[in-house]
Amino acid sequence: MGEKLRHAIVFGASGLIGWAVVDQLLRLYPEAGTFSKITAVTNRKVKISESHWLEPRTDRLSLQLISDIDLRRGDGATLAESLRRAVADIHTVTQVFYLAFTSVPDSVEEVATNRHMLQNVIDAHNLLSPNLQFVAFPGGTRGYGIYSLGGVFTPPLTEDMVNNLPPDYAETVAYPAYRELLKTASEGRKWTWCEVCPDAIIGFTPNGSQFSLALHWAQYLSLYAHNHGVRPSSQQAGKASIEVPFPGNVAGANSLFSPVSATKVARFMIYASLHPNECGDGQLFNIADHEMPCTYGDIWPRLANWFGLVGVGPPEDSQGQINSLKVGELPEGERHLTPGEYISKHRDIFTQRGREKAVNSGAAES
Ligand SMILES: NC(=O)c1ccc[n+]([C@@H]2O[C@H](COP(=O)([O-])OP(=O)(O)OC[C@H]3O[C@@H](n4cnc5c(N)ncnc54)[C@H](OP(=O)(O)O)[C@@H]3O)[C@@H](O)[C@H]2O)c1
């Protein structure tokens, strides 16, 4: 990686994937000297002291954190002006990592809003960044039709399937709109682009996330443990005695999914951005931690044990049994509460216990 002076800009840097991209760049992935500048852009304010990012390790790498950039505002020229004022050496940007996403209740409106945000970013960089080489963004399994009851395709989901998404479903997902936008915007330019497709992402954010399954389970299981008298000092492997039933039915527990760590997604996006010939031209790459998918039935006992609890199967009124797990029972008053409802009912406990940052995980609302 001899070429120096690469400047990465990360939009959505406080999100699950965006945080990990900045983290990996600061850890000098793939090797020292690959990048010399990182610009992290956020919408809500994040203090560097609360970001949990490493300090740049060498004086040949600098990090700028720019907050209060709402990508919905104005157009590309407006954004270009804001970035020109806020970011030192914006003209040297070589890699754009686009990880911003905003949830909107109406799906078609959500596509329009998110398309507008990406358009602003691309138009701004086409104005500002003559050395731009690569744009990387994440799609997701929603782009394979999983929001449609029963799904659209028969797994395994392969990259070519996205071209056969039914049109009425495709217009409810942002990713086809992103592809069309990037294909048009990159024509005749020096930069190219790719899409990376994760299923459920497991990672960290400094101030919550719209889509964090890990945060959702952490909220539910930590509140459940607290309410059943399990205290952090007793949250040690081998000492657990309080049971927590899987909060779903057997079909849910046996459904296959393919989690991926935000670190792995981040590393692949960085790698792709450095290999435009192999990874560019609008290619789509599925990504997962393991080749074989897993089920919640498999991981529930380990997940529960992390919080000092014993993970057991769904309550008896669900049909069947998960693997060899004992059938669980929920205490009176907690039956029929989904984890999201349980969190809503008890979330004040976080504030009372000085954990006011245990905020929204998005998944908790569904
Ligand atoms: N999480 C998953 O399991 C998962 C799985 C597959 C695919 N994906 C896809 O990955 C992409 C990123 O998701 P994520 O999980 O990283 O989401 P996330 O944790 O909620 O992060 C989204 C980021 O976008 C920023 N953002 C939201 N509205 C913005 C606005 N108006 N202007 C500027 N920035 C804005 C957020 O900043 P603020 O919070 O400050 O607004 C945050 O940094 C999405 O396309 C999502 O569908 C996610």
Side-chain angles (χ1 to χ4, degrees):
M1 297 290 160
E3 209 178 318
K4 298 269 170 63
L5 302 176
R6 287 194 192 85
H7 180 170
I9 189 163
V10 182
F11 292 92
S14 55
L16 216 45
I17 313 174
W19 184 90
V21 170
V22 176
D23 176 62
Q24 285 304 305
L25 292 169
L26 288 168
R27 290 175 191 275
L28 308 180
Y29 182 80
E31 62 187 21
T34 307
F35 288 88
S36 59
K37 291 189 169 63
I38 307 164
T39 299
V41 183
T42 76
N43 176 28
R44 288 178 298 153
K45 206 165 193 59
V46 178
K47 288 189 199 152
I48 198 79
S49 57
E50 294 175 352
S51 69
H52 292 266
W53 284 318
L54 298 177
E55 296 258 328
R57 284 194 208 164
T58 89
D59 55 10
R60 286 178 289 123
L61 182 66
S62 67
L63 170 68
Q64 302 178 77
L65 172 58
I66 313 295
S67 289
D68 198 23
I69 299 284
D70 184 342
L71 298 173
R72 291 170 300 188
R73 280 198 302 248
D75 60 13
T78 326
L79 177 62
E81 192 44 41
S82 304
L83 294 174
R84 195 179 281 123
R85 267 190 269 117
V87 181
D89 300 324
I90 186 71
H91 64 285
T92 63
V93 165
T94 47
Q95 264 84 2
V96 170
F97 296 98
Y98 185 77
L99 306 148
F101 188 86
T102 190
S103 278
V104 176
D106 179 81
S107 305
V108 174
E109 208 181 304
E110 183 176 75
V111 173
T113 304
N114 283 284
R115 189 188 189 290
H116 176 69
M117 288 164 54
L118 178 60
Q119 184 83 59
N120 284 350
V121 167
I122 297 302
D123 288 351
H125 283 285
N126 273 344
L127 287 170
L128 293 170
S129 313
N131 301 324
L132 183 61
Q133 294 166 7
F134 206 91
V135 176
F137 80 93
T141 38
R142 183 177 180 178
Y144 285 119
I146 65 159
Y147 279 28
S148 175
L149 204 62
V152 170
F153 304 117
T154 305
L157 303 171
T158 52
E159 286 88 343
D160 53 301
M161 287 174 174
V162 293
N163 301 319
N164 298 320
L165 212 52
D168 56 337
Y169 181 90
E171 69 181 27
T172 66
V173 192
Y175 315 134
Y178 288 176
R179 284 176 213 133
E180 174 258 312
L181 185 166
L182 290 167
K183 187 170 184 294
T184 307
S186 61
E187 263 161 29
R189 303 264 173 188
K190 282 192 279 179
W191 58 269
T192 185
W193 59 281
C194 84
E195 173 179 355
V196 177
C197 183
D199 190 4
I201 300 166
I202 312 304
F204 169 81
T205 62
N207 60 359
S209 163
Q210 299 162 101
F211 307 103
S212 177
L213 262 182
L215 180 54
H216 175 58
W217 289 126
Q219 289 176 325
Y220 177 59
L221 291 170
S222 60
L223 285 171
Y224 195 96
H226 175 86
N227 289 343
H228 290 81
V230 179
R231 294 291 172 260
S233 58
S234 62
Q235 289 178 7
Q236 291 163 18
K239 294 207 174 160
S241 61
I242 302 291
E243 294 182 351
V244 57
F246 177 75
N249 59 24
V250 172
N254 287 335
S255 299
L256 296 170
F257 74 117
S258 297
V260 57
S261 70
T263 299
K264 184 165 281 189
V265 180
R267 285 183 167 212
F268 183 75
M269 291 179 100
I270 295 167
Y271 175 90
S273 81
L274 296 169
H275 295 85
N277 292 336
E278 293 86 347
C279 301
D281 201 21
Q283 289 181 80
L284 169 63
F285 299 94
N286 284 348
I287 187 162
D289 276 345
H290 301 285
E291 205 171 330
M292 295 305 292
C294 66
T295 71
Y296 268 114
D298 291 333
I299 61 175
W300 185 245
R302 277 181 287 154
L303 205 52
N305 193 250
W306 186 267
F307 295 89
L309 297 163
V310 180
V312 294
E316 265 178 299
D317 55 358
S318 303
Q319 293 163 354
Q321 203 176 336
I322 314 172
N323 302 336
S324 56
L325 288 186
K326 177 183 161 190
V327 174
E329 200 181 330
L330 278 167
E332 191 64 41
E334 289 174 9
R335 290 180 194 155
H336 313 301
L337 282 186
T338 64
E341 289 164 344
Y342 190 90
I343 294 163
S344 298
K345 185 173 170 190
H346 298 290
R347 69 182 334 140
D348 286 352
I349 293 171
F350 288 129
T351 317
Q352 289 157 19
R353 309 291 298 182
R355 294 282 185 268
E356 55 285 323
K357 292 220 158 167
V359 282
N360 182 28
S361 65
E365 312 308 322
S366 56

mmCIF file with all atom_site columns, all heavy atoms in Angstrom, residues 1-2 27-35:
data_model
loop_
_atom_site.group_PDB
_atom_site.id
_atom_site.type_symbol
_atom_site.label_atom_id
_atom_site.label_alt_id
_atom_site.label_comp_id
_atom_site.label_asym_id
_atom_site.label_entity_id
_atom_site.label_seq_id
_atom_site.pdbx_PDB_ins_code
_atom_site.Cartn_x
_atom_site.Cartn_y
_atom_site.Cartn_z
_atom_site.occupancy
_atom_site.B_iso_or_equiv
_atom_site.pdbx_formal_charge
_atom_site.auth_seq_id
_atom_site.auth_comp_id
_atom_site.auth_asym_id
_atom_site.auth_atom_id
_atom_site.pdbx_PDB_model_num
ATOM 1  N N   . MET A 1 1  ? 0.842   -1.200 0.000  1.00 0.00 ? 1  MET A N   1
ATOM 2  C CA  . MET A 1 1  ? 0.000   0.000  0.000  1.00 0.00 ? 1  MET A CA  1
ATOM 3  C C   . MET A 1 1  ? 0.875   1.248  0.000  1.00 0.00 ? 1  MET A C   1
ATOM 4  O O   . MET A 1 1  ? 0.799   2.066  0.914  1.00 0.00 ? 1  MET A O   1
ATOM 5  C CB  . MET A 1 1  ? -0.868  0.029  1.273  1.00 0.00 ? 1  MET A CB  1
ATOM 6  C CG  . MET A 1 1  ? -1.847  -1.092 1.420  1.00 0.00 ? 1  MET A CG  1
ATOM 7  S SD  . MET A 1 1  ? -3.176  -0.966 0.265  1.00 0.00 ? 1  MET A SD  1
ATOM 8  C CE  . MET A 1 1  ? -3.737  -2.646 0.278  1.00 0.00 ? 1  MET A CE  1
ATOM 9  N N   . GLY A 1 2  ? 1.766   1.371  -0.950 1.00 0.00 ? 2  GLY A N   1
ATOM 10 C CA  . GLY A 1 2  ? 2.706   2.466  -0.937 1.00 0.00 ? 2  GLY A CA  1
ATOM 11 C C   . GLY A 1 2  ? 2.079   3.842  -1.023 1.00 0.00 ? 2  GLY A C   1
ATOM 12 O O   . GLY A 1 2  ? 2.544   4.791  -0.397 1.00 0.00 ? 2  GLY A O   1
ATOM 13 N N   . ARG A 1 27 ? -7.319  1.928  13.841 1.00 0.00 ? 27 ARG A N   1
ATOM 14 C CA  . ARG A 1 27 ? -6.455  0.772  14.191 1.00 0.00 ? 27 ARG A CA  1
ATOM 15 C C   . ARG A 1 27 ? -5.517  0.433  13.049 1.00 0.00 ? 27 ARG A C   1
ATOM 16 O O   . ARG A 1 27 ? -4.905  -0.628 13.026 1.00 0.00 ? 27 ARG A O   1
ATOM 17 C CB  . ARG A 1 27 ? -7.319  -0.448 14.548 1.00 0.00 ? 27 ARG A CB  1
ATOM 18 C CG  . ARG A 1 27 ? -8.054  -0.273 15.857 1.00 0.00 ? 27 ARG A CG  1
ATOM 19 C CD  . ARG A 1 27 ? -8.998  -1.433 16.148 1.00 0.00 ? 27 ARG A CD  1
ATOM 20 N NE  . ARG A 1 27 ? -9.848  -1.083 17.271 1.00 0.00 ? 27 ARG A NE  1
ATOM 21 C CZ  . ARG A 1 27 ? -9.511  -1.231 18.552 1.00 0.00 ? 27 ARG A CZ  1
ATOM 22 N NH1 . ARG A 1 27 ? -8.350  -1.767 18.858 1.00 0.00 ? 27 ARG A NH1 1
ATOM 23 N NH2 . ARG A 1 27 ? -10.327 -0.855 19.508 1.00 0.00 ? 27 ARG A NH2 1
ATOM 24 N N   . LEU A 1 28 ? -5.486  1.320  12.052 1.00 0.00 ? 28 LEU A N   1
ATOM 25 C CA  . LEU A 1 28 ? -4.545  1.243  10.925 1.00 0.00 ? 28 LEU A CA  1
ATOM 26 C C   . LEU A 1 28 ? -4.810  0.056  10.008 1.00 0.00 ? 28 LEU A C   1
ATOM 27 O O   . LEU A 1 28 ? -3.892  -0.472 9.388  1.00 0.00 ? 28 LEU A O   1
ATOM 28 C CB  . LEU A 1 28 ? -3.086  1.230  11.416 1.00 0.00 ? 28 LEU A CB  1
ATOM 29 C CG  . LEU A 1 28 ? -2.703  2.356  12.375 1.00 0.00 ? 28 LEU A CG  1
ATOM 30 C CD1 . LEU A 1 28 ? -1.236  2.225  12.775 1.00 0.00 ? 28 LEU A CD1 1
ATOM 31 C CD2 . LEU A 1 28 ? -2.960  3.726  11.768 1.00 0.00 ? 28 LEU A CD2 1
ATOM 32 N N   . TYR A 1 29 ? -6.087  -0.390 9.928  1.00 0.00 ? 29 TYR A N   1
ATOM 33 C CA  . TYR A 1 29 ? -6.414  -1.447 8.973  1.00 0.00 ? 29 TYR A CA  1
ATOM 34 C C   . TYR A 1 29 ? -6.363  -0.883 7.561  1.00 0.00 ? 29 TYR A C   1
ATOM 35 O O   . TYR A 1 29 ? -6.879  0.193  7.332  1.00 0.00 ? 29 TYR A O   1
ATOM 36 C CB  . TYR A 1 29 ? -7.803  -2.032 9.257  1.00 0.00 ? 29 TYR A CB  1
ATOM 37 C CG  . TYR A 1 29 ? -8.139  -3.163 8.324  1.00 0.00 ? 29 TYR A CG  1
ATOM 38 C CD1 . TYR A 1 29 ? -7.646  -4.437 8.546  1.00 0.00 ? 29 TYR A CD1 1
ATOM 39 C CD2 . TYR A 1 29 ? -8.893  -2.921 7.166  1.00 0.00 ? 29 TYR A CD2 1
ATOM 40 C CE1 . TYR A 1 29 ? -7.910  -5.466 7.659  1.00 0.00 ? 29 TYR A CE1 1
ATOM 41 C CE2 . TYR A 1 29 ? -9.151  -3.948 6.275  1.00 0.00 ? 29 TYR A CE2 1
ATOM 42 C CZ  . TYR A 1 29 ? -8.660  -5.215 6.531  1.00 0.00 ? 29 TYR A CZ  1
ATOM 43 O OH  . TYR A 1 29 ? -8.905  -6.239 5.643  1.00 0.00 ? 29 TYR A OH  1
ATOM 44 N N   . PRO A 1 30 ? -5.785  -1.519 6.569  1.00 0.00 ? 30 PRO A N   1
ATOM 45 C CA  . PRO A 1 30 ? -5.123  -2.813 6.648  1.00 0.00 ? 30 PRO A CA  1
ATOM 46 C C   . PRO A 1 30 ? -3.666  -2.708 7.106  1.00 0.00 ? 30 PRO A C   1
ATOM 47 O O   . PRO A 1 30 ? -3.122  -3.700 7.575  1.00 0.00 ? 30 PRO A O   1
ATOM 48 C CB  . PRO A 1 30 ? -5.174  -3.329 5.205  1.00 0.00 ? 30 PRO A CB  1
ATOM 49 C CG  . PRO A 1 30 ? -5.190  -2.096 4.365  1.00 0.00 ? 30 PRO A CG  1
ATOM 50 C CD  . PRO A 1 30 ? -5.906  -1.048 5.167  1.00 0.00 ? 30 PRO A CD  1
ATOM 51 N N   . GLU A 1 31 ? -3.062  -1.506 6.961  1.00 0.00 ? 31 GLU A N   1
ATOM 52 C CA  . GLU A 1 31 ? -1.703  -1.350 7.507  1.00 0.00 ? 31 GLU A CA  1
ATOM 53 C C   . GLU A 1 31 ? -1.374  0.125  7.636  1.00 0.00 ? 31 GLU A C   1
ATOM 54 O O   . GLU A 1 31 ? -1.998  0.982  6.987  1.00 0.00 ? 31 GLU A O   1
ATOM 55 C CB  . GLU A 1 31 ? -0.672  -2.063 6.627  1.00 0.00 ? 31 GLU A CB  1
ATOM 56 C CG  . GLU A 1 31 ? -0.572  -1.533 5.233  1.00 0.00 ? 31 GLU A CG  1
ATOM 57 C CD  . GLU A 1 31 ? 0.353   -2.382 4.358  1.00 0.00 ? 31 GLU A CD  1
ATOM 58 O OE1 . GLU A 1 31 ? 0.583   -3.552 4.700  1.00 0.00 ? 31 GLU A OE1 1
ATOM 59 O OE2 . GLU A 1 31 ? 0.853   -1.854 3.368  1.00 0.00 ? 31 GLU A OE2 1
ATOM 60 N N   . ALA A 1 32 ? -0.410  0.411  8.497  1.00 0.00 ? 32 ALA A N   1
ATOM 61 C CA  . ALA A 1 32 ? -0.014  1.804  8.750  1.00 0.00 ? 32 ALA A CA  1
ATOM 62 C C   . ALA A 1 32 ? 0.357   2.489  7.439  1.00 0.00 ? 32 ALA A C   1
ATOM 63 O O   . ALA A 1 32 ? 0.990   1.879  6.572  1.00 0.00 ? 32 ALA A O   1
ATOM 64 C CB  . ALA A 1 32 ? 1.166   1.833  9.715  1.00 0.00 ? 32 ALA A CB  1
ATOM 65 N N   . GLY A 1 33 ? -0.087  3.732  7.292  1.00 0.00 ? 33 GLY A N   1
ATOM 66 C CA  . GLY A 1 33 ? 0.288   4.501  6.103  1.00 0.00 ? 33 GLY A CA  1
ATOM 67 C C   . GLY A 1 33 ? -0.714  4.406  4.971  1.00 0.00 ? 33 GLY A C   1
ATOM 68 O O   . GLY A 1 33 ? -0.583  5.088  3.964  1.00 0.00 ? 33 GLY A O   1
ATOM 69 N N   . THR A 1 34 ? -1.747  3.523  5.133  1.00 0.00 ? 34 THR A N   1
ATOM 70 C CA  . THR A 1 34 ? -2.729  3.396  4.041  1.00 0.00 ? 34 THR A CA  1
ATOM 71 C C   . THR A 1 34 ? -3.557  4.677  3.924  1.00 0.00 ? 34 THR A C   1
ATOM 72 O O   . THR A 1 34 ? -3.827  5.163  2.831  1.00 0.00 ? 34 THR A O   1
ATOM 73 C CB  . THR A 1 34 ? -3.646  2.176  4.272  1.00 0.00 ? 34 THR A CB  1
ATOM 74 O OG1 . THR A 1 34 ? -2.822  1.030  4.469  1.00 0.00 ? 34 THR A OG1 1
ATOM 75 C CG2 . THR A 1 34 ? -4.542  1.951  3.076  1.00 0.00 ? 34 THR A CG2 1
ATOM 76 N N   . PHE A 1 35 ? -3.983  5.200  5.076  1.00 0.00 ? 35 PHE A N   1
ATOM 77 C CA  . PHE A 1 35 ? -4.742  6.457  5.094  1.00 0.00 ? 35 PHE A CA  1
ATOM 78 C C   . PHE A 1 35 ? -3.955  7.489  5.902  1.00 0.00 ? 35 PHE A C   1
ATOM 79 O O   . PHE A 1 35 ? -3.254  7.132  6.860  1.00 0.00 ? 35 PHE A O   1
ATOM 80 C CB  . PHE A 1 35 ? -6.116  6.254  5.742  1.00 0.00 ? 35 PHE A CB  1
ATOM 81 C CG  . PHE A 1 35 ? -7.059  5.480  4.864  1.00 0.00 ? 35 PHE A CG  1
ATOM 82 C CD1 . PHE A 1 35 ? -7.091  4.092  4.899  1.00 0.00 ? 35 PHE A CD1 1
ATOM 83 C CD2 . PHE A 1 35 ? -7.900  6.139  3.969  1.00 0.00 ? 35 PHE A CD2 1
ATOM 84 C CE1 . PHE A 1 35 ? -7.936  3.372  4.065  1.00 0.00 ? 35 PHE A CE1 1
ATOM 85 C CE2 . PHE A 1 35 ? -8.754  5.431  3.135  1.00 0.00 ? 35 PHE A CE2 1
ATOM 86 C CZ  . PHE A 1 35 ? -8.767  4.044  3.180  1.00 0.00 ? 35 PHE A CZ  1
#
